[in-house]
């Protein structure tokens, strides 16, 4: 059986777990808690030399970095493909994964650091190793960066149902965890005030795979 080293509340682990759920494939989740510092343990560093989660183990083969793992699993496992066969749709999928990585996940985490999820983290052993909450200027800048990115998403979704066209793809898989944590950090208005993006969020966040996977950190015990 495949193993995923991470947690069920980790945004990066969510990408991997979502692909597994979309494919109808079960893997063993081996808990490696970031806020308990287990990702920096000597044992885990043998699997992931940068000390992060998740890591996938597939019959002795180890691969890390969540976006690499989700692409690997989509090709590795049977089931509906999450990668478009049309070359232009494929290019758009990769474009939107890059947009998430370059312009979205960073400012989302800035807002997460100022929200209720981080209040939980600040009561954990990780308080001394994680960055402090953003000040007002930093939070405002993060909201502005997300607003600009989401305006572009809104224009795109005005003419198609999904980021890469008319089908759910790995692009949505890469965005789902960050939007979930944005909603959990009092930033959901940035999505809901944009009608096409709000409708898209409703479509993707109610998929059975995400209903199974999309868990937000709610206590230190569940870290």
């Amino acid at each position: 059986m495949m193993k995923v080293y991470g947690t069920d509340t980790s945004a990066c682990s969510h990408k991997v777990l979502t692909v597994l759920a979309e494919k109808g494939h079960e893997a063993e989740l081996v808990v490696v808690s970031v806020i308990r510092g287990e990702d920096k343990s000597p044992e885990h560093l043998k699997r992931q030399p940068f000390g992060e989660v998740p890591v996938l183990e597939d019959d002795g083969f180890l691969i890390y970095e969540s976006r690499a793992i989700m692409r690997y699993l989509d090709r590795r496992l049977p089931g509906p493909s999450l990668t478009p066969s049309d070359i232009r749709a494929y290019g758009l999928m990769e474009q939107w994964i890059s947009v998430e990585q370059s312009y979205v996940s960073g400012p989302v985490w800035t807002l997460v650091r100022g929200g209720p999820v981080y209040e939980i983290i600040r009561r954990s052993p990780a308080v001394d190793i994680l960055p402090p909450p953003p000040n007002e200027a930093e939070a405002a800048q993060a909201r502005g960066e997300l607003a600009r990115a989401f305006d572009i998403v809104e224009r795109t979704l005005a003419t198609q149902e999904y980021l890469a066209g008319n089908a759910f793809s790995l692009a949505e898989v890469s965005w789902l965890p960050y939007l979930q944590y944005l909603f959990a950090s009092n930033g959901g208005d940035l999505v809901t005030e944009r009608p096409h993006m709000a409708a898209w969020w409703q479509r993707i966040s109610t998929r059975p795979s995400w209903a199974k996977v999309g868990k937000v950190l709610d206590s230190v015990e569940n870290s």
Side-chain angles (χ1 to χ4, degrees), residues 100-193:
E100 169 267 302
Q101 186 173 13
S102 300
Y103 309 112
V104 173
S105 55
V108 164
W109 286 122
T110 297
L111 296 182
V112 170
R113 285 180 15 237
V117 171
Y118 237 65
E119 289 302 317
I120 297 169
I121 294 174
R122 278 190 280 275
R123 298 194 300 269
S124 78
V127 65
D128 294 329
I129 61 172
L130 294 175
N135 58 38
E136 285 189 19
E138 291 168 335
Q141 179 178 341
R143 285 185 65 90
E145 291 171 0
L146 289 173
R148 179 173 181 268
F150 291 178
D151 283 344
I152 297 168
V153 173
E154 179 71 4
R155 291 196 294 271
T156 297
L157 294 173
T159 59
Q160 58 196 51
E161 290 196 344
Y162 297 96
L163 293 174
N166 294 316
F168 181 88
S169 75
L170 291 177
E172 275 74 30
V173 173
S174 73
W175 280 66
L176 268 163
Y178 302 109
L179 295 182
Q180 178 93 331
Y181 269 99
L182 181 64
F183 272 92
S185 303
N186 304 318
D189 59 295
L190 289 164
V191 175
T192 58
E193 67 189 11

Side-chain angles (χ1 to χ4, degrees), residues 1-10 13 16-17 20 26-34 38-39 41 43-44 47 52-58 62 223:
M1 174 179 277
M2 289 181 176
K3 294 181 180 180
V4 177
Y5 296 87
T7 72
D8 63 0
T9 58
S10 155
S13 297
V16 175
L17 298 174
L20 289 166
E26 295 293 329
E28 178 186 354
L29 179 62
V30 181
V31 175
V32 177
S33 172
V34 174
E38 294 170 357
D39 55 331
S41 69
E43 180 182 8
H44 187 65
R47 292 185 289 262
E52 303 291 346
V53 296
V55 175
L56 177 74
E57 182 178 347
D58 180 12
L62 293 174
S223 64

Side-chain angles (χ1 to χ4, degrees), residues 56-75:
L56 177 74
E57 182 178 347
D58 180 12
D59 193 24
F61 171 68
L62 293 174
I63 179 172
Y64 51 82
E65 292 299 318
S66 59
R67 298 172 188 86
I69 299 171
M70 70 180 189
R71 292 178 175 100
Y72 170 82
L73 287 173
D74 190 37
R75 295 186 64 176

